[in-house]
Amino acid sequence: MAKHYGVLTFDNRGPIKTWERMTATQRHNARSEPLPHCDPAAPGPVYIIGSPDLVSDTKAALCEHGIDPAGIRKNGVIAYEVIMTASHAYFTQGDEAEHTSRLWQWVARAYLAAKKIWGSSRIVQMVLHLDEFTPHLHVVLLPLVQKVFGRRQSDGPRWTLNGREIAGPGQYQRAHNEYAAEIEPLGLFRGEQKSGRKYRPYADVVAEVETKMREAATAATAGQKAQQEAALKEQARAAQWAEQSERAERERAALDEREKALGKRLLRAELHERSLKMRETKAAAVEMEARRKASEADRLLTEARQMQARVTDQLRAIADIRSRADGLVALLDQVESERLTQTQAAALTASRGISTAIGNAGLGEDTVLLEQMAAHRAKRER
């Protein structure tokens, strides 16, 4: 027949050192919030000691012992939480009536054991939970101790909090031994000392199972995702290969077109080069003709300049001749003028003589003679 064991363990989070942690413990023990590993159809918490308001009960207990809850030093221990239970199989033997009998016999023995181990004044709450895999008790303990303070010995013993009273050296083993001794009549045994095995709350087991299930689901999902990614990668590679092939074909066609275009460009370049050579030849001929014409123009310009110089000299000579001729003409005009004056004077004298002679001759108004004389005179004047 399999042996059944009594289990006693301290909360693996360590002692309660803040009122925030105490409030969280209150919510958990009172089931103020639904928990995924708890059966909502099971009976609610059963308070053997204390009430659902753990924080108020704790502060009231501290005040009863003369300790100010607000004066507890920072990081100082306020309380410990202990879980008392037994092997799951112990509670499930027999029919329903035996289940109930075994449960409450164990609760009574655990209650007595807690009072013997820690004392009634230190237990601020003892609550029974039946909504998890195995029934268990949560026991909240105040590490109360009386002592005489050295500086105030006259005040006598005073209550204070000292975690060593609950979790000091040897206290853990003592609690196990006394709990085992109390429940031994129920057929429950103490576990092997220093075995290294620790009690694991059902919530932790459930959490671990859920974690493993999540990990398995995650692994399965990851496997499916990996397969999908592999398929997608293969499709992507095929698409990439097809795209690369198509791109290579396009590039080959483009290269052929470029080669054709290049051939046309080379042909045009060759024709252009020939045209340039012809133009260069023509340009060279034009340049030579231009140089020849420039040379001829220079020669003609030189000759024109020489001719211009000769013409200038000739013009100067002509001007000099003209100046001299003008002087000569002026002189001749002067001479002619003087000569005409003399001639006119002589003609006048002659005319006067003729007139006298005519008068003396008695010709009177003979117009014919007068006209002859006038014509002769005019001729002489010319």
Side-chain angles (χ1 to χ4, degrees):
M1 183 176 180
K3 293 177 69 173
H4 305 306
Y5 297 93
V7 180
L8 184 148
T9 182
F10 283 75
D11 192 317
N12 57 12
R13 293 173 296 177
I16 299 172
K17 294 184 176 183
T18 65
W19 293 109
E20 289 79 7
R21 168 79 181 281
M22 184 70 75
T23 301
T25 302
Q26 172 179 295
R27 288 198 301 268
H28 176 84
N29 292 351
R31 296 298 193 253
S32 300
E33 300 172 352
L35 299 174
H37 59 276
C38 297
D39 182 6
V46 179
Y47 290 90
I48 310 301
I49 297 175
S51 71
D53 195 348
L54 175 61
V55 174
S56 297
D57 291 348
T58 301
K59 291 182 178 181
L62 292 172
C63 290
E64 287 177 3
H65 290 81
I67 300 173
D68 181 7
I72 298 175
R73 65 180 175 83
K74 186 177 180 180
N75 204 38
V77 176
I78 301 173
Y80 286 87
E81 185 175 17
V82 178
I83 300 172
M84 303 175 74
T85 186
S87 299
H88 176 75
Y90 168 78
F91 297 104
T92 58
Q93 293 180 4
D95 56 16
E96 190 67 26
E98 186 174 355
H99 294 174
T100 302
S101 175
R102 283 177 176 275
L103 170 66
W104 289 106
Q105 287 181 26
W106 169 76
V107 170
R109 290 284 180 173
Y111 171 76
L112 294 174
K115 291 180 68 174
K116 289 180 181 179
I117 298 169
W118 298 295
S120 299
S121 61
R122 290 178 176 151
I123 302 174
V124 71
Q125 184 183 77
M126 178 181 284
V127 57
L128 173 66
H129 286 166
L130 300 172
D131 55 355
E132 297 186 47
F133 184 68
T134 303
H136 58 277
L137 287 164
H138 285 265
V139 183
V140 180
L141 305 169
L142 300 179
L144 291 167
V145 62
Q146 276 190 319
K147 61 179 291 187
V148 177
F149 291 88
R151 294 183 179 180
R152 304 182 64 177
Q153 295 184 5
S154 60
D155 293 342
R158 295 176 57 194
W159 289 99
T160 187
L161 297 175
N162 188 342
R164 295 173 64 87
E165 294 297 319
I166 303 297
Q171 294 294 333
Y172 185 74
Q173 298 297 330
R174 182 180 69 83
H176 272 74
N177 293 336
E178 293 189 14
Y179 174 57
E182 189 63 39
I183 61 176
E184 187 175 359
L186 301 178
L188 294 171
F189 300 93
R190 189 193 191 286
E192 182 181 350
Q193 296 189 37
K194 298 182 181 181
S195 65
R197 295 188 298 271
K198 293 185 178 181
Y199 166 73
R200 299 180 64 201
Y202 181 64
D204 293 349
V205 176
V206 171
E208 181 180 353
V209 172
E210 290 178 350
T211 300
K212 290 183 178 179
M213 291 177 65
R214 284 195 298 270
E215 290 176 352
T218 302
T221 303
Q224 294 177 356
K225 186 177 180 180
Q227 291 178 355
Q228 293 175 356
E229 289 178 352
L232 290 174
K233 287 181 180 179
E234 188 64 27
Q235 293 176 2
R237 282 196 294 269
Q240 185 178 8
W241 181 83
E243 184 179 356
Q244 289 177 352
S245 300
E246 184 178 356
R247 187 187 301 116
E249 188 64 27
R250 289 198 303 269
E251 290 177 353
R252 189 179 299 110
L255 182 60
D256 292 341
E257 291 295 328
R258 286 197 294 270
E259 288 179 353
K260 291 179 182 179
L262 182 59
K264 292 180 180 179
R265 288 182 181 179
L266 290 175
L267 180 59
R268 286 198 297 268
E270 184 176 356
L271 294 175
H272 183 64
E273 185 177 1
R274 291 179 182 178
S275 176
L276 288 177
K277 287 182 178 179
M278 293 176 65
R279 290 180 181 180
E280 288 177 356
T281 302
K282 290 181 179 180
V286 169
E287 184 179 1
M288 290 180 64
E289 181 66 16
R291 288 179 179 177
R292 186 186 65 76
K293 289 183 178 181
S295 177
E296 182 68 17
D298 290 340
R299 185 183 64 77
L300 293 175
L301 181 61
T302 301
E303 291 180 356
R305 287 175 178 173
Q306 292 175 355
M307 186 178 293
Q308 183 181 12
R310 288 197 297 271
V311 169
T312 301
D313 293 339
Q314 290 175 357
L315 289 175
R316 289 174 180 171
I318 290 171
D320 184 53
I321 292 170
R322 185 174 180 178
S323 177
R324 293 171 181 263
D326 290 340
L328 180 60
V329 168
L331 181 60
L332 289 175
D333 288 341
Q334 183 180 2
V335 171
E336 182 66 18
S337 177
E338 291 177 356
R339 186 181 65 81
L340 287 176
T341 301
Q342 293 175 0
T343 301
Q344 288 177 354
L348 182 59
T349 301
S351 176
R352 289 175 179 173
I354 291 171
S355 296
T356 302
I358 290 172
N360 293 328
L363 293 178
E365 299 293 333
D366 191 346
T367 52
V368 175
L369 182 59
L370 293 175
E371 291 175 356
Q372 289 179 353
M373 290 176 65
H376 178 73
R377 188 172 50 202
K379 185 177 179 180
R380 288 291 303 270
E381 290 176 355
R382 287 195 296 267

